[in-house]
Amino acid sequence: MSATARPAAESPSPTIEDGRRSAEETAGWIQENWTSWLGVGLRILLVVVIAYVLRRVVQRMITKLIGRMTRTADAVDGTALGGLLVNHERRRQRSEALGSILRSGASFVILGTAALTVLSALKIDLAPLLASAGVAGVALGFGARNLVMDFLSGVFMLVEDQYGVGDTIDVGEVTGEVIEVGLRVTKLRGDNGAIWYMRNGEVKRIGNLSQGWATAVVDVPVAAGEDLDRVRAVIVDTGEEFGRTEPWSEQLWGEVEVLGLTAVSQGTATLQVQVRTMPGKSIGVERELRWRLREALLAAGVVMSDVPPGTVVPLRAEQAALPQQPAAPGGGGGGE
């Protein structure tokens, strides 16, 4: 029995009419949506142009501001005013650090706002993106909280001008001169020459010895039997002469004052002398003032505490170098 094979059903081939109809539908869809596409594209282009121009303008303004601050530091550098205020390197580093922070912050705000505006124009839902960014920020804050604390402390330190390059500061465990200031780490050079790296977030207190004014304090011990009024007069005269001598006249910010008698013990009376100085100059002023007071008191015949009463003190080095009379041999006083 033979079976008659049926021909398989074939799909109808596309005709010219079908192609024309598809083209008309595509053209109609494009015609309906091209205005919205053009509007979105122009909006994105406008946002990008505005963000670019605004970023350039803000960065140029910040650069001019930092340049003006640096030029002001250059103008006073090397003068007495520059020494009283801040040194050039400190001012320059602080200006550059603040400029870098301001430029980075302005760029982040402008570009971030532009990116969110573009995404909103593309009809992208920003809620999941912002939620993910919030979670990532919280995780970063917990994982790198010490790093964030260091940077925030460095920013506040620069804005408040707590210290700068060239300042002598006391941070509790170490005292030294600031040689470099960063947002995370500050470098100090200690008294023995060691360089200390101090994390900004770990500093709980800072004593700046180079801001405002400093105080030079000198204790003057004299024999308890001396006329203290005469000693005071000698000290005042020596202080006035000291204040008129270069270069100390620029480093002193006041007159040498005798605060009074601070201690009396074991035949010694101690008077305390004080004078205000430029920041960071108190140690040198103390040494020079102590030297001059000792020389002046000895020249006036005042007996110092380390010399027993009745001892003749030579006033000049050449007197001390005079030959001494030899002692009598045998200690006896026999005659011929």
Side-chain angles (χ1 to χ4, degrees):
M1 177 177 171
S2 61
T4 306
R6 288 186 175 182
E10 296 180 357
S11 60
S13 59
T15 62
I16 298 177
E17 184 65 23
D18 295 335
R20 185 182 62 82
R21 186 181 301 107
S22 176
E24 288 179 353
E25 292 177 355
T26 304
W29 181 76
I30 294 176
Q31 186 176 3
E32 291 177 358
N33 295 278
W34 78 271
T35 54
S36 60
W37 295 347
L38 181 61
V40 171
L42 291 178
R43 184 179 177 183
I44 293 175
L45 179 62
L46 182 62
V47 169
V48 171
V49 171
I50 291 178
Y52 175 78
V53 173
L54 184 60
R55 179 172 176 268
R56 290 294 299 271
V57 170
V58 172
Q59 287 194 346
R60 180 167 297 182
M61 292 175 59
I62 295 174
T63 303
K64 287 185 178 181
L65 176 62
I66 300 304
R68 184 176 302 175
M69 295 173 61
T70 306
R71 286 194 299 270
T72 304
D74 291 337
V76 301
D77 187 34
T79 63
L81 179 61
L84 296 179
L85 298 177
V86 290
N87 59 54
H88 171 69
E89 184 64 19
R90 168 185 174 172
R91 191 73 174 267
R92 185 188 65 81
Q93 285 202 13
R94 179 171 178 265
S95 301
E96 291 182 354
L98 288 177
S100 177
I101 294 173
L102 292 176
R103 282 190 290 265
S104 299
S107 298
F108 176 79
V109 172
I110 294 173
L111 296 181
T113 304
L116 293 178
T117 306
V118 170
L119 294 177
S120 176
L122 294 176
K123 306 300 181 181
I124 298 177
D125 189 9
L126 299 179
L129 180 62
L130 295 178
S132 301
V135 173
V138 172
L140 180 63
F142 277 105
R145 57 184 180 274
N146 291 333
L147 183 63
V148 174
M149 183 183 301
D150 293 339
F151 274 97
L152 290 179
S153 300
V155 170
F156 282 110
M157 179 271 299
L158 288 173
V159 172
E160 297 172 358
D161 194 18
Q162 298 177 7
Y163 56 84
V165 174
D167 287 353
T168 301
I169 62 175
D170 180 4
V171 295
E173 297 182 358
V174 63
T175 299
E177 180 182 352
V178 180
I179 60 177
E180 185 177 338
V181 176
L183 291 179
R184 192 181 69 87
V185 175
T186 297
K187 294 170 62 175
L188 301 179
R189 185 176 297 278
D191 296 334
N192 58 353
I195 296 180
W196 297 83
Y197 293 85
M198 177 184 66
R199 288 177 50 193
N200 296 328
E202 295 294 328
V203 179
K204 303 302 180 183
R205 65 171 183 85
I206 298 174
N208 196 325
L209 306 179
S210 301
Q211 284 185 350
W213 46 268
T215 304
V217 180
V218 177
D219 290 331
V220 182
V222 298
E226 287 292 333
D227 185 359
L228 297 184
D229 291 333
R230 186 168 69 95
V231 174
R232 181 197 297 270
V234 173
I235 293 175
V236 171
D237 294 340
T238 305
E240 292 178 354
E241 182 183 357
F242 181 46
R244 294 190 298 265
T245 306
E246 296 291 341
W248 309 106
S249 59
E250 295 183 358
Q251 300 182 14
L252 299 183
W253 280 13
E255 298 179 354
V256 177
E257 301 177 355
V258 181
L259 299 183
L261 190 64
T262 58
V264 178
S265 62
Q266 298 180 354
T268 300
T270 304
L271 286 81
Q272 192 170 82
V273 180
Q274 174 180 297
V275 61
R276 287 188 178 185
T277 69
M278 288 176 54
K281 303 296 183 181
S282 60
I283 297 179
V285 171
E286 285 181 2
R287 294 171 179 172
E288 182 66 20
L289 182 59
R290 187 178 294 111
W291 180 288
R292 289 172 178 262
L293 289 178
R294 180 183 182 278
E295 293 296 318
L297 292 173
L298 290 179
V302 177
V303 179
M304 309 297 291
S305 64
D306 57 349
V307 180
T311 303
V312 178
V313 181
L315 304 182
R316 295 289 183 266
E318 57 269 17
Q319 295 179 359
L322 292 177
Q324 304 292 329
Q325 296 293 334
E336 288 287 330

